[in-house]
Amino acid sequence: MSHNRKDKRSARERLQEQRAKDEARQKRKRTYIAAGIIVVVLGAVGGIGALIASQSDDDEADARGPVVDPKGATGEKRVAIPAGAANAPATLTVFEDFRCPGCAGFENGFRKTITELREAGQLRIEYHLVRLIDGNLGGSGSLRAANAAACAQDAGKFSAYHDLLYQNQPREQDDAFADRGYLIELAGKVSGLDTPAFRACVNKGTHDSWVQKVDKAFEKSGHGATPTVLLNGENVYGDQDDPLTPEKLKKEVAEAAKKKGR
């Protein structure tokens, strides 16, 4: 009798142990399944994130495109468009933005003097076309106007088109230069510029990536405003107490020429 109770008790104990093992097994199974789901979800999220990041990088790369320097671009990293004799005794370096009212003020105020000095072989100008206003106010007029000016450089018509853009500059808040059709329309006022090649260059944004390169170089230059005007490396336009005038520019260029025996 005692033996039978022991057998029954052992059977019950074995049954309880088996149930405990089964429950533990089921618990582990549920844990593995949950963990697997988490891994799959995290993997999917990571994969999607990587895909999005990759797509974003691809889109950015596509937006930049290959850098195509305009013909004759000069200086370190070819970020300047030159005008005037390479051996001129004085070099005027101009950082400017086609949407910048102050730049238009400088260009329209000094155009006659700069043209005279350039044509006389006394002054070389190196233009750095940046897009400061696009960043400050939004839009793409600075970029597209700079690209169009670079397209004009390819056609050998940079100076005339550059001056025309400043003569027709819209209000700072008006992003009219973002309209490629308008930029092409203005080109019609420069003899020989409005050609199929120029139109394609403007419409495709051939030099957009070059403009971005110029703008990044400007950001690293230490100059934070447009226009910034340097004469032989010295800032000559930012001093409000002793402002640059056309006559003063002529005098300083003449002094530079004298130092070089010209």
Side-chain angles (χ1 to χ4, degrees):
M1 189 172 179
S2 174
H3 181 71
N4 290 338
R5 285 199 299 270
K6 184 178 180 181
D7 288 344
K8 290 180 181 178
R9 187 165 53 251
S10 297
R12 285 197 298 269
E13 289 174 353
R14 287 196 300 272
L15 182 59
Q16 289 172 352
E17 289 175 0
Q18 187 61 42
R19 286 176 176 173
K21 289 179 181 178
D22 290 343
E23 289 177 359
R25 190 181 303 111
Q26 290 297 324
K27 184 177 181 180
R28 286 196 300 271
K29 185 176 181 181
R30 290 194 297 269
T31 300
Y32 293 151
I33 291 172
I37 291 172
I38 291 172
V39 169
V40 171
V41 170
L42 290 177
V45 170
I48 292 170
L51 179 62
I52 291 172
S54 175
Q55 185 64 48
S56 177
D57 291 343
D58 290 344
D59 289 345
E60 187 177 354
D62 291 341
R64 287 195 301 265
V67 175
V68 180
D69 299 330
K71 290 181 181 178
T74 190
E76 185 178 357
K77 296 185 178 180
R78 296 169 61 85
V79 294
I81 290 179
N87 65 345
T91 297
L92 197 70
T93 304
V94 183
F95 299 86
E96 60 186 10
D97 183 324
F98 285 111
R99 290 180 67 186
C100 164
C103 299
F106 168 75
E107 288 293 345
N108 294 332
F110 284 80
R111 179 174 299 113
K112 181 179 178 181
T113 300
I114 289 174
T115 300
E116 289 175 356
L117 292 171
R118 184 190 72 222
E119 292 180 349
Q122 297 298 296
L123 184 66
R124 174 183 174 86
I125 308 94
E126 295 184 350
Y127 295 96
H128 297 246
L129 309 179
V130 304
R131 53 175 315 196
L132 190 64
I133 306 302
D134 284 356
N136 291 344
L137 298 181
S140 58
S142 302
L143 170 65
R144 291 184 177 177
N147 171 68
C151 296
Q153 167 69 7
D154 290 342
K157 305 284 184 179
F158 173 79
S159 293
Y161 188 66
H162 164 275
D163 293 349
L164 186 70
L165 287 175
Y166 277 115
Q167 290 167 339
N168 290 272
Q169 185 188 71
R171 291 181 301 104
E172 187 177 14
Q173 293 79 12
D174 181 358
D175 197 24
F177 282 163
D179 182 352
R180 295 187 178 99
Y182 180 52
L183 294 170
I184 292 171
E185 179 185 332
L186 287 175
K189 299 181 180 181
V190 176
S191 178
L193 179 56
D194 185 6
T195 64
F198 175 80
R199 289 186 172 220
C201 184
V202 171
N203 286 324
K204 292 179 181 178
T206 298
H207 299 298
D208 282 358
S209 294
W210 175 80
V211 178
Q212 300 284 28
K213 180 176 73 168
V214 177
D215 196 61
K216 288 185 182 299
F218 173 66
E219 289 177 3
K220 297 176 181 178
S221 71
H223 304 300
T226 55
T228 293
V229 182
L230 313 178
L231 182 62
N232 289 342
E234 181 182 351
N235 195 328
V236 294
Y237 195 68
D239 189 350
Q240 299 299 321
D241 296 327
D242 187 20
L244 184 69
T245 64
E247 288 305 315
K248 184 178 178 182
L249 178 60
K250 286 181 180 180
K251 181 180 178 182
E252 294 194 7
V253 169
E255 290 176 355
K258 190 179 297 184
K259 288 179 182 179
K260 292 191 176 184
R262 300 285 291 278

